[in-house]
Amino acid sequence: MIRIENVSLSHQATPILHNISLTIPKGGVTALVGPNGAGKSSLLSLVARLQPLQTGAISIDGLPVDTTSNRTLAKIAAILRQDSVVASRLRVRELVGFGRFPHNRGRLNETDRAIIEQSLDQFDLADLAGRFVDTLSGGQRQRALVAMAFCQGTDYLLLDEPLNNLDMYYARDLMRSLRQVADENGKTVVIVLHDINMAGAYADRIVAMKGGRVIADGAPTEMLTTPVLQDVFGFAMQVATINGKPIVLHHL
Amino acid sequence: MIAAAAKKPLRLGVIASLGLAILFVLSLFVGVSDLPFGTALSDPDALQLLLVSRLPRTLAAVLAGAGLAIAGLIMQTLARNRFVEPATAGTAQSAELGILAATLLWPGATLAMKTLVASGAALLGTSIFFMTAHRLPPSQPFLVPLFGLVYGGVIGAGVTFIAWQANLLQYLAIWTNGDFSGVLRGRYELLWVAALMVALAWFVADRLTIMALGRDASIGLGLDYAGMMRIGLIIVSVIAALNVVVVGMIPFVGLVVPNIVSRLMGDNLRGTIKWVALSGAGLVLGCDIIGRLIRYPYEIPVGTVMGVVGGTLFLWLLFRRPAHG
C-alpha cells in the first residue's frame, strides 16, 4: 500500500502540490490523469524519492520513503520517469539487465538471467536484445525502459507517461502487459496517463489531479462522465458508451 | 548476431593488448643511449640504464595514460557529456593552482604532500565545475564542454598570472606540458597511486554505468548517487593531480580514448573499462616513443605530440559518421 499523507510541495515560491492525501492499495492499476502542470509527475517523483519531501509523509508498504534506505526501496518500487534519456551506448539486454542491480549489485546469477529474458519477451524485445539502445526508435527505446523497470521485479511500478512515443499497437500492448502483471503477478501499477480512454479501459481506479490537488478519484465508470471531465480538463466532452464501457470523445 | 557482437570487442581487445605489449618493449629500447636488445640483461651498464631510466619512463607513461583515460571516462560519465575531460574542464588547472600555492607557501613540502594539496584543489575545482554543469540545460549538450573550457581557461589564466608574479613560469611549463624525459627511478613512483584509482574505478564499473543513465535512474536502482559522485570526483581529481605534479598534464587522452572505446564496444563499463585503461596507456606510450624518435637524438615532449595526435583523433571522431549497431 502506498500511503500519501498531507503532502505539499513548492519550488521556490511556486506551490506545486497542496496538501495531498491519497491511499493506493496493493494490487491493481491506478491511473493518474489531469491537465499539464497538475502535479502528477511531481507526486510520482516524491513517492519514488527522486526529490526530498518538504511536508507530509509518504510510505510504501509501511516504509517511509524519506528515511528508508535507497537500496531497500529499490527492491520495492521501480520508477520510470517521463522522457528518460539514455545517452549510453548499452545493448538492450544490458540495459534491461541493470534492472536487476538492486538485487545482485552487478553480479548476474541464473535467476537474474531468466528474469531478464522474460522481461525481454514480455515487451517484445527479444529481436532487439543485441542492438545498442541509441540505434532504436523512440518507441522501441521506451519499451526497453519499461522492460528495465519491470525487470527490477518490484511489487510497485511507478510509470510516468510510459505511452510516450509508442504507436497504437505498442501502446495497447503495454497497457495489456501492465494489466497482466497486475492481475497475474499481483503488482501494483501507478501510471500517469494522458489518454483518458486508455485509463478508462485498463485502470481499476482513476485519480484526477488539477492545480496541485486531487479533485476527483474513483472507478473509471464514475470518472469518465462529462461533468467530472469538465471539472478536470476545463471543457465539455461527449462520453459515449460502447459495449457497456464509457468512451470519451475528447477529440471532437 | 549476438555471438558476432560479443566476438568483435574481444578481437579489438586482443589487438589493443598486443599493441601495448609491443609498445612497452619498444619503449625500453628507444632512446639516446644505445641499448642493444641482446646485451640488455647481461651488460651491467645496460641493465642499470634499463632499470633506472627506461623502465621507469615506460611505466610512468603506462600509468599516466591509463589514469588519464579513466579520469576522462569518469568525468564524461558523471557529466553525462562526451566532450569533457580533466585537462579542459578545470580539474588540471585547479591542480596546477594547488601545486603552485604549495610551492609558494610551503616550499619545504615533499612531492607527496604537494600532490595531496594539488588533489584537494582539483577536487574543489572539479566539484564547482559539476555543480555548475548540472544546472546547465540538458537540451544544450555543448554548453557543458564550453563552460568547462571557459572555466578551465579562467583558472589557468589566474595560475599563469600568479606564476608570472612569483617568477615560477618555468615550473608552470613543467606542470602544464606533459614530458617523460625527466622520469627516473625514484621520481615517478607516486603515479602508482593512479593505478590504485584505476583499480577502484574498475571495482565500481557497474555503478558508473548506472550513473551514466542519470540521477533519477541511479536512485531508482538503489544507488547511492551522491556517494558515487564523491568517489568519481576523488578518482578524477587524484589522477589529474598526480599527472600534473609528476609528469605534467597531457591533453586529449581523457577525451579521445573513452569516445573511441565507446564507439567500438559500447558503454557497459564492466566490460570496457579495462580497454579504456589499456588504450590510454598505449596512446600515451606511443606518443612518447614518437616524441623520442621524431628529431632524434632530441626529444619532443609527449604533451606536444599528444596535442597533434589527440587533436587529429578528436577531429576524426567528430567528422566520422556516428556508428550504428
Side-chain angles (χ1 to χ4, degrees), chain B residues 112-157:
Chain B
M113 292 314 288
K114 282 181 182 169
T115 310
L116 208 62
V117 175
S119 300
L123 194 58
L124 188 69
T126 316
S127 304
I128 293 172
F129 167 74
F130 274 105
M131 275 194 292
T132 317
H134 280 165
R135 278 163 214 267
L136 296 173
S139 53
Q140 304 274 337
F142 284 102
L143 273 184
V144 174
L146 279 178
F147 165 71
L149 283 173
V150 174
Y151 175 70
V154 169
I155 299 176

mmCIF file of all heavy atoms in Angstrom, chain B residues 112-157:
data_model
loop_
_atom_site.group_PDB
_atom_site.id
_atom_site.type_symbol
_atom_site.label_atom_id
_atom_site.label_comp_id
_atom_site.label_asym_id
_atom_site.label_seq_id
_atom_site.Cartn_x
_atom_site.Cartn_y
_atom_site.Cartn_z
ATOM 1 N N ALA B 112 54.913 14.222 -2.297
ATOM 2 C CA ALA B 112 53.653 13.588 -1.907
ATOM 3 C C ALA B 112 52.711 14.613 -1.290
ATOM 4 O O ALA B 112 51.503 14.624 -1.576
ATOM 5 C CB ALA B 112 53.918 12.447 -0.931
ATOM 6 N N MET B 113 53.260 15.478 -0.430
ATOM 7 C CA MET B 113 52.409 16.495 0.200
ATOM 8 C C MET B 113 51.869 17.463 -0.852
ATOM 9 O O MET B 113 50.707 17.858 -0.824
ATOM 10 C CB MET B 113 53.187 17.273 1.269
ATOM 11 C CG MET B 113 53.564 16.460 2.492
ATOM 12 S SD MET B 113 52.201 15.467 3.142
ATOM 13 C CE MET B 113 51.174 16.754 3.837
ATOM 14 N N LYS B 114 52.754 17.845 -1.787
ATOM 15 C CA LYS B 114 52.311 18.755 -2.851
ATOM 16 C C LYS B 114 51.194 18.104 -3.678
ATOM 17 O O LYS B 114 50.235 18.759 -4.079
ATOM 18 C CB LYS B 114 53.482 19.123 -3.763
ATOM 19 C CG LYS B 114 54.397 20.171 -3.149
ATOM 20 C CD LYS B 114 55.525 20.497 -4.106
ATOM 21 C CE LYS B 114 56.460 21.502 -3.466
ATOM 22 N NZ LYS B 114 57.703 21.649 -4.233
ATOM 23 N N THR B 115 51.361 16.797 -3.943
ATOM 24 C CA THR B 115 50.317 16.090 -4.689
ATOM 25 C C THR B 115 49.003 16.123 -3.938
ATOM 26 O O THR B 115 47.928 16.294 -4.519
ATOM 27 C CB THR B 115 50.736 14.625 -4.931
ATOM 28 O OG1 THR B 115 52.043 14.627 -5.473
ATOM 29 C CG2 THR B 115 49.785 13.937 -5.871
ATOM 30 N N LEU B 116 49.107 15.967 -2.623
ATOM 31 C CA LEU B 116 47.899 15.985 -1.794
ATOM 32 C C LEU B 116 47.206 17.339 -1.899
ATOM 33 O O LEU B 116 45.976 17.412 -2.066
ATOM 34 C CB LEU B 116 48.289 15.684 -0.342
ATOM 35 C CG LEU B 116 47.214 15.022 0.509
ATOM 36 C CD1 LEU B 116 46.835 13.674 -0.048
ATOM 37 C CD2 LEU B 116 47.705 14.890 1.946
ATOM 38 N N VAL B 117 47.997 18.409 -1.811
ATOM 39 C CA VAL B 117 47.419 19.754 -1.933
ATOM 40 C C VAL B 117 46.795 19.930 -3.317
ATOM 41 O O VAL B 117 45.673 20.424 -3.458
ATOM 42 C CB VAL B 117 48.500 20.835 -1.680
ATOM 43 C CG1 VAL B 117 47.926 22.228 -1.929
ATOM 44 C CG2 VAL B 117 49.039 20.739 -0.266
ATOM 45 N N ALA B 118 47.544 19.483 -4.347
ATOM 46 C CA ALA B 118 47.024 19.604 -5.711
ATOM 47 C C ALA B 118 45.738 18.803 -5.874
ATOM 48 O O ALA B 118 44.789 19.260 -6.523
ATOM 49 C CB ALA B 118 48.078 19.133 -6.715
ATOM 50 N N SER B 119 45.675 17.607 -5.259
ATOM 51 C CA SER B 119 44.466 16.784 -5.351
ATOM 52 C C SER B 119 43.296 17.505 -4.695
ATOM 53 O O SER B 119 42.178 17.510 -5.228
ATOM 54 C CB SER B 119 44.668 15.437 -4.655
ATOM 55 O OG SER B 119 45.721 14.744 -5.255
ATOM 56 N N GLY B 120 43.562 18.103 -3.539
ATOM 57 C CA GLY B 120 42.499 18.838 -2.842
ATOM 58 C C GLY B 120 41.979 19.980 -3.691
ATOM 59 O O GLY B 120 40.756 20.166 -3.827
ATOM 60 N N ALA B 121 42.905 20.738 -4.281
ATOM 61 C CA ALA B 121 42.493 21.857 -5.128
ATOM 62 C C ALA B 121 41.717 21.355 -6.338
ATOM 63 O O ALA B 121 40.697 21.935 -6.731
ATOM 64 C CB ALA B 121 43.720 22.645 -5.569
ATOM 65 N N ALA B 122 42.184 20.234 -6.920
ATOM 66 C CA ALA B 122 41.494 19.664 -8.085
ATOM 67 C C ALA B 122 40.085 19.225 -7.713
ATOM 68 O O ALA B 122 39.128 19.427 -8.463
ATOM 69 C CB ALA B 122 42.290 18.493 -8.639
ATOM 70 N N LEU B 123 39.961 18.637 -6.526
ATOM 71 C CA LEU B 123 38.653 18.174 -6.053
ATOM 72 C C LEU B 123 37.698 19.353 -5.935
ATOM 73 O O LEU B 123 36.543 19.297 -6.386
ATOM 74 C CB LEU B 123 38.825 17.480 -4.697
ATOM 75 C CG LEU B 123 37.667 16.649 -4.183
ATOM 76 C CD1 LEU B 123 37.316 15.552 -5.156
ATOM 77 C CD2 LEU B 123 38.014 16.053 -2.833
ATOM 78 N N LEU B 124 38.188 20.436 -5.329
ATOM 79 C CA LEU B 124 37.360 21.625 -5.155
ATOM 80 C C LEU B 124 36.960 22.195 -6.526
ATOM 81 O O LEU B 124 35.783 22.466 -6.784
ATOM 82 C CB LEU B 124 38.142 22.668 -4.343
ATOM 83 C CG LEU B 124 37.343 23.886 -3.903
ATOM 84 C CD1 LEU B 124 36.319 23.481 -2.861
ATOM 85 C CD2 LEU B 124 38.277 24.957 -3.336
ATOM 86 N N GLY B 125 37.971 22.347 -7.406
ATOM 87 C CA GLY B 125 37.698 22.931 -8.722
ATOM 88 C C GLY B 125 36.735 22.083 -9.530
ATOM 89 O O GLY B 125 35.826 22.604 -10.188
ATOM 90 N N THR B 126 36.911 20.745 -9.467
ATOM 91 C CA THR B 126 36.042 19.856 -10.241
ATOM 92 C C THR B 126 34.625 19.846 -9.665
ATOM 93 O O THR B 126 33.649 19.779 -10.408
ATOM 94 C CB THR B 126 36.623 18.433 -10.248
ATOM 95 O OG1 THR B 126 38.019 18.516 -10.489
ATOM 96 C CG2 THR B 126 35.990 17.588 -11.324
ATOM 97 N N SER B 127 34.512 19.908 -8.341
ATOM 98 C CA SER B 127 33.189 19.950 -7.717
ATOM 99 C C SER B 127 32.429 21.193 -8.171
ATOM 100 O O SER B 127 31.235 21.118 -8.473
ATOM 101 C CB SER B 127 33.306 19.959 -6.191
ATOM 102 O OG SER B 127 34.039 18.853 -5.752
ATOM 103 N N ILE B 128 33.126 22.324 -8.222
ATOM 104 C CA ILE B 128 32.469 23.561 -8.670
ATOM 105 C C ILE B 128 32.038 23.413 -10.131
ATOM 106 O O ILE B 128 30.938 23.802 -10.514
ATOM 107 C CB ILE B 128 33.406 24.774 -8.484
ATOM 108 C CG1 ILE B 128 33.633 25.019 -6.994
ATOM 109 C CG2 ILE B 128 32.816 26.021 -9.142
ATOM 110 C CD1 ILE B 128 34.683 26.052 -6.684
ATOM 111 N N PHE B 129 32.910 22.775 -10.936
ATOM 112 C CA PHE B 129 32.539 22.539 -12.332
ATOM 113 C C PHE B 129 31.248 21.728 -12.415
ATOM 114 O O PHE B 129 30.320 22.076 -13.142
ATOM 115 C CB PHE B 129 33.668 21.805 -13.073
ATOM 116 C CG PHE B 129 33.250 21.253 -14.403
ATOM 117 C CD1 PHE B 129 33.062 22.102 -15.485
ATOM 118 C CD2 PHE B 129 33.001 19.899 -14.567
ATOM 119 C CE1 PHE B 129 32.657 21.603 -16.714
ATOM 120 C CE2 PHE B 129 32.590 19.395 -15.793
ATOM 121 C CZ PHE B 129 32.419 20.250 -16.865
ATOM 122 N N PHE B 130 31.168 20.648 -11.629
ATOM 123 C CA PHE B 130 29.977 19.792 -11.714
ATOM 124 C C PHE B 130 28.738 20.467 -11.155
ATOM 125 O O PHE B 130 27.642 20.306 -11.688
ATOM 126 C CB PHE B 130 30.225 18.449 -11.014
ATOM 127 C CG PHE B 130 30.866 17.462 -11.921
ATOM 128 C CD1 PHE B 130 32.200 17.140 -11.794
ATOM 129 C CD2 PHE B 130 30.146 16.872 -12.929
ATOM 130 C CE1 PHE B 130 32.802 16.245 -12.648
ATOM 131 C CE2 PHE B 130 30.730 15.973 -13.803
ATOM 132 C CZ PHE B 130 32.068 15.662 -13.649
ATOM 133 N N MET B 131 28.919 21.223 -10.074
ATOM 134 C CA MET B 131 27.758 21.931 -9.524
ATOM 135 C C MET B 131 27.155 22.849 -10.579
ATOM 136 O O MET B 131 25.941 22.974 -10.691
ATOM 137 C CB MET B 131 28.172 22.733 -8.290
ATOM 138 C CG MET B 131 28.163 21.887 -7.038
ATOM 139 S SD MET B 131 28.246 22.880 -5.557
ATOM 140 C CE MET B 131 29.857 23.574 -5.619
ATOM 141 N N THR B 132 28.026 23.488 -11.354
ATOM 142 C CA THR B 132 27.537 24.389 -12.395
ATOM 143 C C THR B 132 27.011 23.599 -13.594
ATOM 144 O O THR B 132 25.936 23.880 -14.117
ATOM 145 C CB THR B 132 28.661 25.333 -12.844
ATOM 146 O OG1 THR B 132 29.347 25.783 -11.684
ATOM 147 C CG2 THR B 132 28.115 26.526 -13.596
ATOM 148 N N ALA B 133 27.780 22.586 -13.992
ATOM 149 C CA ALA B 133 27.409 21.825 -15.192
ATOM 150 C C ALA B 133 26.033 21.177 -15.035
ATOM 151 O O ALA B 133 25.258 21.115 -15.986
ATOM 152 C CB ALA B 133 28.463 20.767 -15.493
ATOM 153 N N HIS B 134 25.719 20.723 -13.823
ATOM 154 C CA HIS B 134 24.431 20.058 -13.618
ATOM 155 C C HIS B 134 23.259 21.038 -13.645
ATOM 156 O O HIS B 134 22.112 20.625 -13.707
ATOM 157 C CB HIS B 134 24.445 19.268 -12.300
ATOM 158 C CG HIS B 134 25.143 17.951 -12.445
ATOM 159 N ND1 HIS B 134 25.546 17.199 -11.380
ATOM 160 C CD2 HIS B 134 25.516 17.269 -13.546
ATOM 161 C CE1 HIS B 134 26.149 16.102 -11.825
ATOM 162 N NE2 HIS B 134 26.143 16.125 -13.131
ATOM 163 N N ARG B 135 23.564 22.323 -13.582
ATOM 164 C CA ARG B 135 22.500 23.310 -13.682
ATOM 165 C C ARG B 135 22.250 23.767 -15.107
ATOM 166 O O ARG B 135 21.268 24.442 -15.397
ATOM 167 C CB ARG B 135 22.852 24.549 -12.847
ATOM 168 C CG ARG B 135 22.524 24.375 -11.388
ATOM 169 C CD ARG B 135 23.262 25.411 -10.557
ATOM 170 N NE ARG B 135 23.617 24.832 -9.274
ATOM 171 C CZ ARG B 135 22.867 24.942 -8.205
ATOM 172 N NH1 ARG B 135 21.755 25.623 -8.243
ATOM 173 N NH2 ARG B 135 23.218 24.366 -7.073
ATOM 174 N N LEU B 136 23.181 23.423 -15.996
ATOM 175 C CA LEU B 136 23.001 23.848 -17.385
ATOM 176 C C LEU B 136 21.900 23.008 -18.026
ATOM 177 O O LEU B 136 21.735 21.845 -17.691
ATOM 178 C CB LEU B 136 24.319 23.668 -18.156
ATOM 179 C CG LEU B 136 25.480 24.534 -17.656
ATOM 180 C CD1 LEU B 136 26.766 24.157 -18.366
ATOM 181 C CD2 LEU B 136 25.175 26.005 -17.875
ATOM 182 N N PRO B 137 21.135 23.603 -18.931
ATOM 183 C CA PRO B 137 20.017 22.855 -19.530
ATOM 184 C C PRO B 137 20.519 21.654 -20.326
ATOM 185 O O PRO B 137 21.416 21.807 -21.167
ATOM 186 C CB PRO B 137 19.359 23.886 -20.459
ATOM 187 C CG PRO B 137 20.366 24.956 -20.646
ATOM 188 C CD PRO B 137 21.230 24.971 -19.434
ATOM 189 N N PRO B 138 19.965 20.461 -20.064
ATOM 190 C CA PRO B 138 20.424 19.262 -20.781
ATOM 191 C C PRO B 138 20.107 19.313 -22.268
ATOM 192 O O PRO B 138 20.677 18.550 -23.046
ATOM 193 C CB PRO B 138 19.664 18.116 -20.098
ATOM 194 C CG PRO B 138 18.614 18.745 -19.264
ATOM 195 C CD PRO B 138 18.905 20.194 -19.106
ATOM 196 N N SER B 139 19.207 20.226 -22.658
ATOM 197 C CA SER B 139 18.877 20.334 -24.081
ATOM 198 C C SER B 139 20.025 20.962 -24.876
ATOM 199 O O SER B 139 20.013 20.947 -26.088
ATOM 200 C CB SER B 139 17.608 21.176 -24.249
ATOM 201 O OG SER B 139 17.755 22.402 -23.574
ATOM 202 N N GLN B 140 21.017 21.509 -24.188
ATOM 203 C CA GLN B 140 22.144 22.165 -24.862
ATOM 204 C C GLN B 140 23.442 21.444 -24.497
ATOM 205 O O GLN B 140 24.213 21.940 -23.674
ATOM 206 C CB GLN B 140 22.252 23.623 -24.407
ATOM 207 C CG GLN B 140 21.016 24.448 -24.594
ATOM 208 C CD GLN B 140 20.936 25.043 -25.982
ATOM 209 O OE1 GLN B 140 21.947 25.194 -26.650
ATOM 210 N NE2 GLN B 140 19.743 25.347 -26.431
ATOM 211 N N PRO B 141 23.696 20.274 -25.084
ATOM 212 C CA PRO B 141 24.829 19.463 -24.621
ATOM 213 C C PRO B 141 26.187 20.140 -24.798
ATOM 214 O O PRO B 141 27.137 19.791 -24.112
ATOM 215 C CB PRO B 141 24.729 18.194 -25.467
ATOM 216 C CG PRO B 141 23.862 18.553 -26.609
ATOM 217 C CD PRO B 141 22.944 19.624 -26.153
ATOM 218 N N PHE B 142 26.281 21.115 -25.709
ATOM 219 C CA PHE B 142 27.597 21.711 -25.922
ATOM 220 C C PHE B 142 27.914 22.817 -24.913
ATOM 221 O O PHE B 142 29.032 23.302 -24.857
ATOM 222 C CB PHE B 142 27.730 22.223 -27.356
ATOM 223 C CG PHE B 142 27.946 21.102 -28.316
ATOM 224 C CD1 PHE B 142 26.911 20.625 -29.096
ATOM 225 C CD2 PHE B 142 29.187 20.483 -28.393
ATOM 226 C CE1 PHE B 142 27.105 19.548 -29.947
ATOM 227 C CE2 PHE B 142 29.381 19.405 -29.248
ATOM 228 C CZ PHE B 142 28.340 18.938 -30.022
ATOM 229 N N LEU B 143 26.908 23.193 -24.111
ATOM 230 C CA LEU B 143 27.176 24.200 -23.091
ATOM 231 C C LEU B 143 28.151 23.675 -22.041
ATOM 232 O O LEU B 143 28.980 24.425 -21.536
ATOM 233 C CB LEU B 143 25.866 24.610 -22.396
ATOM 234 C CG LEU B 143 25.081 25.730 -23.046
ATOM 235 C CD1 LEU B 143 23.880 26.087 -22.192
ATOM 236 C CD2 LEU B 143 25.952 26.955 -23.264
ATOM 237 N N VAL B 144 28.034 22.366 -21.710
ATOM 238 C CA VAL B 144 28.876 21.816 -20.646
ATOM 239 C C VAL B 144 30.366 21.880 -21.008
ATOM 240 O O VAL B 144 31.152 22.458 -20.254
ATOM 241 C CB VAL B 144 28.430 20.377 -20.285
ATOM 242 C CG1 VAL B 144 29.380 19.741 -19.295
ATOM 243 C CG2 VAL B 144 27.019 20.398 -19.715
ATOM 244 N N PRO B 145 30.774 21.342 -22.188
ATOM 245 C CA PRO B 145 32.204 21.473 -22.518
ATOM 246 C C PRO B 145 32.629 22.921 -22.722
ATOM 247 O O PRO B 145 33.757 23.282 -22.366
ATOM 248 C CB PRO B 145 32.351 20.657 -23.802
ATOM 249 C CG PRO B 145 30.983 20.403 -24.302
ATOM 250 C CD PRO B 145 30.066 20.479 -23.140
ATOM 251 N N LEU B 146 31.733 23.743 -23.274
ATOM 252 C CA LEU B 146 32.096 25.151 -23.467
ATOM 253 C C LEU B 146 32.318 25.829 -22.123
ATOM 254 O O LEU B 146 33.299 26.550 -21.924
ATOM 255 C CB LEU B 146 30.989 25.884 -24.237
ATOM 256 C CG LEU B 146 31.016 25.700 -25.748
ATOM 257 C CD1 LEU B 146 29.856 26.436 -26.390
ATOM 258 C CD2 LEU B 146 32.337 26.193 -26.312
ATOM 259 N N PHE B 147 31.386 25.561 -21.195
ATOM 260 C CA PHE B 147 31.571 26.127 -19.866
ATOM 261 C C PHE B 147 32.883 25.625 -19.266
ATOM 262 O O PHE B 147 33.647 26.390 -18.671
ATOM 263 C CB PHE B 147 30.399 25.762 -18.943
ATOM 264 C CG PHE B 147 30.698 26.004 -17.503
ATOM 265 C CD1 PHE B 147 30.788 27.297 -17.009
ATOM 266 C CD2 PHE B 147 30.946 24.952 -16.633
ATOM 267 C CE1 PHE B 147 31.104 27.532 -15.689
ATOM 268 C CE2 PHE B 147 31.261 25.174 -15.312
ATOM 269 C CZ PHE B 147 31.342 26.468 -14.840
ATOM 270 N N GLY B 148 33.163 24.327 -19.456
ATOM 271 C CA GLY B 148 34.399 23.757 -18.930
ATOM 272 C C GLY B 148 35.636 24.457 -19.489
ATOM 273 O O GLY B 148 36.566 24.778 -18.752
ATOM 274 N N LEU B 149 35.618 24.722 -20.797
ATOM 275 C CA LEU B 149 36.761 25.394 -21.427
ATOM 276 C C LEU B 149 36.970 26.786 -20.833
ATOM 277 O O LEU B 149 38.091 27.184 -20.511
ATOM 278 C CB LEU B 149 36.531 25.508 -22.936
ATOM 279 C CG LEU B 149 36.757 24.241 -23.757
ATOM 280 C CD1 LEU B 149 36.321 24.457 -25.200
ATOM 281 C CD2 LEU B 149 38.229 23.849 -23.707
ATOM 282 N N VAL B 150 35.857 27.516 -20.698
ATOM 283 C CA VAL B 150 35.955 28.874 -20.160
ATOM 284 C C VAL B 150 36.420 28.824 -18.702
ATOM 285 O O VAL B 150 37.350 29.540 -18.297
ATOM 286 C CB VAL B 150 34.590 29.591 -20.269
ATOM 287 C CG1 VAL B 150 34.648 30.948 -19.578
ATOM 288 C CG2 VAL B 150 34.208 29.748 -21.725
ATOM 289 N N TYR B 151 35.793 27.934 -17.949
ATOM 290 C CA TYR B 151 36.110 27.797 -16.527
ATOM 291 C C TYR B 151 37.583 27.410 -16.340
ATOM 292 O O TYR B 151 38.317 28.043 -15.576
ATOM 293 C CB TYR B 151 35.173 26.746 -15.951
ATOM 294 C CG TYR B 151 35.402 26.362 -14.512
ATOM 295 C CD1 TYR B 151 35.112 27.250 -13.485
ATOM 296 C CD2 TYR B 151 35.884 25.093 -14.190
ATOM 297 C CE1 TYR B 151 35.304 26.880 -12.160
ATOM 298 C CE2 TYR B 151 36.068 24.714 -12.877
ATOM 299 C CZ TYR B 151 35.783 25.616 -11.871
ATOM 300 O OH TYR B 151 35.982 25.241 -10.572
ATOM 301 N N GLY B 152 38.009 26.382 -17.084
ATOM 302 C CA GLY B 152 39.413 25.971 -17.007
ATOM 303 C C GLY B 152 40.334 27.092 -17.468
ATOM 304 O O GLY B 152 41.393 27.330 -16.879
ATOM 305 N N GLY B 153 39.922 27.816 -18.508
ATOM 306 C CA GLY B 153 40.731 28.915 -19.021
ATOM 307 C C GLY B 153 40.908 30.018 -17.998
ATOM 308 O O GLY B 153 42.008 30.573 -17.840
ATOM 309 N N VAL B 154 39.831 30.331 -17.283
ATOM 310 C CA VAL B 154 39.899 31.399 -16.272
ATOM 311 C C VAL B 154 40.852 30.990 -15.147
ATOM 312 O O VAL B 154 41.739 31.763 -14.751
ATOM 313 C CB VAL B 154 38.488 31.703 -15.713
ATOM 314 C CG1 VAL B 154 38.583 32.602 -14.490
ATOM 315 C CG2 VAL B 154 37.632 32.355 -16.784
ATOM 316 N N ILE B 155 40.709 29.759 -14.656
ATOM 317 C CA ILE B 155 41.612 29.312 -13.583
ATOM 318 C C ILE B 155 43.049 29.281 -14.100
ATOM 319 O O ILE B 155 43.977 29.742 -13.438
ATOM 320 C CB ILE B 155 41.208 27.908 -13.076
ATOM 321 C CG1 ILE B 155 39.794 27.950 -12.506
ATOM 322 C CG2 ILE B 155 42.184 27.427 -11.998
ATOM 323 C CD1 ILE B 155 39.267 26.603 -12.080
ATOM 324 N N GLY B 156 43.214 28.759 -15.346
ATOM 325 C CA GLY B 156 44.546 28.685 -15.934
ATOM 326 C C GLY B 156 45.185 30.065 -16.043
ATOM 327 O O GLY B 156 46.383 30.244 -15.768
ATOM 328 N N ALA B 157 44.378 31.066 -16.433
ATOM 329 C CA ALA B 157 44.895 32.430 -16.552
ATOM 330 C C ALA B 157 45.353 32.950 -15.188
ATOM 331 O O ALA B 157 46.417 33.567 -15.060
ATOM 332 C CB ALA B 157 43.817 33.339 -17.137
#
